Coordinates of all heavy atoms in Angstrom, one line a residue:
R125 N 105.4 98.2 109.2 CA 104.0 98.3 109.6 C 103.0 98.0 108.4 O 101.9 97.6 108.7 CB 103.7 99.7 110.2 CG 104.7 100.1 111.3 CD 104.5 101.5 111.7 NE 103.3 101.7 112.5 CZ 103.0 102.9 113.1 NH1 103.7 104.0 112.9 NH2 101.9 103.0 113.8
S149 N 103.8 108.1 109.4 CA 102.3 108.3 109.3 C 101.8 109.3 110.3 O 100.7 109.8 110.1 CB 101.5 107.0 109.4 OG 101.8 106.3 110.6
N150 N 102.6 109.5 111.3 CA 102.1 110.5 112.4 C 103.0 111.8 112.3 O 103.0 112.6 113.2 CB 102.3 109.9 113.7 CG 103.7 109.5 114.1 OD1 104.6 109.6 113.3 ND2 104.0 109.1 115.4
I171 N 97.0 101.8 105.9 CA 97.2 101.9 107.3 C 96.1 101.1 107.9 O 94.9 101.4 108.1 CB 97.1 103.4 107.7 CG1 98.1 104.2 107.0 CG2 97.2 103.5 109.2 CD1 98.0 105.7 107.4
R172 N 96.5 99.9 108.4 CA 95.5 98.9 108.9 C 95.1 99.2 110.4 O 94.0 98.8 110.7 CB 96.2 97.5 108.8 CG 96.7 97.1 107.5 CD 95.7 97.3 106.4 NE 94.5 96.5 106.5 CZ 93.5 96.6 105.7 NH1 93.4 97.6 104.8 NH2 92.4 95.8 105.9
S173 N 95.9 99.8 111.1 CA 95.6 100.1 112.5 C 94.7 101.3 112.6 O 95.0 102.3 112.0 CB 96.9 100.3 113.3 OG 96.6 101.0 114.5
H174 N 93.6 101.2 113.3 CA 92.7 102.3 113.5 C 93.4 103.4 114.3 O 93.2 104.6 113.9 CB 91.4 101.8 114.2 CG 90.3 102.9 114.2 ND1 89.7 103.3 113.1 CD2 89.8 103.6 115.3 CE1 88.8 104.2 113.4 NE2 88.8 104.4 114.7
K175 N 94.1 103.0 115.3 CA 94.9 104.1 116.0 C 95.8 104.9 115.2 O 95.9 106.1 115.2 CB 95.7 103.4 117.2 CG 96.4 104.4 118.0 CD 97.2 103.8 119.1 CE 98.1 104.7 120.0 NZ 98.8 104.0 121.0
E176 N 96.6 104.2 114.3 CA 97.5 104.8 113.4 C 96.8 105.7 112.4 O 97.2 106.8 112.0 CB 98.3 103.7 112.6 CG 99.5 104.4 111.8 CD 100.2 103.4 111.0 OE1 100.0 102.2 111.1 OE2 101.0 103.7 110.1
K177 N 95.6 105.2 111.9 CA 94.7 106.1 111.0 C 94.4 107.4 111.6 O 94.5 108.5 111.0 CB 93.5 105.3 110.6 CG 93.7 104.4 109.4 CD 92.4 104.0 108.7 CE 91.5 103.2 109.7 NZ 92.0 101.8 109.8
I178 N 94.0 107.4 112.9 CA 93.6 108.6 113.5 C 94.8 109.5 113.8 O 94.7 110.7 113.5 CB 93.0 108.2 115.0 CG1 91.7 107.5 114.8 CG2 92.8 109.5 115.8 CD1 91.0 107.0 116.0
E179 N 96.0 108.9 114.1 CA 97.2 109.7 114.3 C 97.5 110.4 113.0 O 98.0 111.5 112.9 CB 98.3 108.8 114.7 CG 98.2 108.4 116.2 CD 99.2 107.4 116.6 OE1 100.0 106.9 115.7 OE2 99.3 107.1 117.8
F180 N 97.4 109.6 111.8 CA 97.7 110.2 110.5 C 96.8 111.3 110.2 O 97.2 112.4 109.8 CB 97.6 109.1 109.5 CG 97.7 109.6 108.1 CD1 98.8 109.9 107.5 CD2 96.5 109.7 107.3 CE1 98.9 110.4 106.2 CE2 96.5 110.1 106.0 CZ 97.7 110.5 105.5
L181 N 95.5 111.1 110.4 CA 94.5 112.2 110.1 C 94.6 113.4 111.0 O 94.3 114.5 110.6 CB 93.1 111.6 110.2 CG 92.7 110.6 109.1 CD1 91.4 109.9 109.4 CD2 92.8 111.2 107.7
K182 N 95.1 113.2 112.3 CA 95.3 114.3 113.1 C 96.4 115.2 112.5 O 96.4 116.5 112.6 CB 95.8 113.8 114.5 CG 94.6 113.4 115.4 CD 95.2 113.0 116.8 CE 93.9 112.6 117.6 NZ 94.4 112.2 119.0
A225 N 87.1 107.8 112.4 CA 88.5 108.3 112.3 C 88.6 109.7 112.1 O 89.4 110.4 112.8 CB 89.3 107.5 111.2

Side-chain angles (χ1 to χ4, degrees):
R125 303 174 80 176
S149 60
N150 63 353
I171 300 177
R172 307 308 297 172
S173 162
H174 190 65
K175 179 181 178 182
E176 186 185 354
K177 277 199 291 290
I178 293 172
E179 291 174 349
F180 170 78
L181 292 173
K182 282 183 177 179

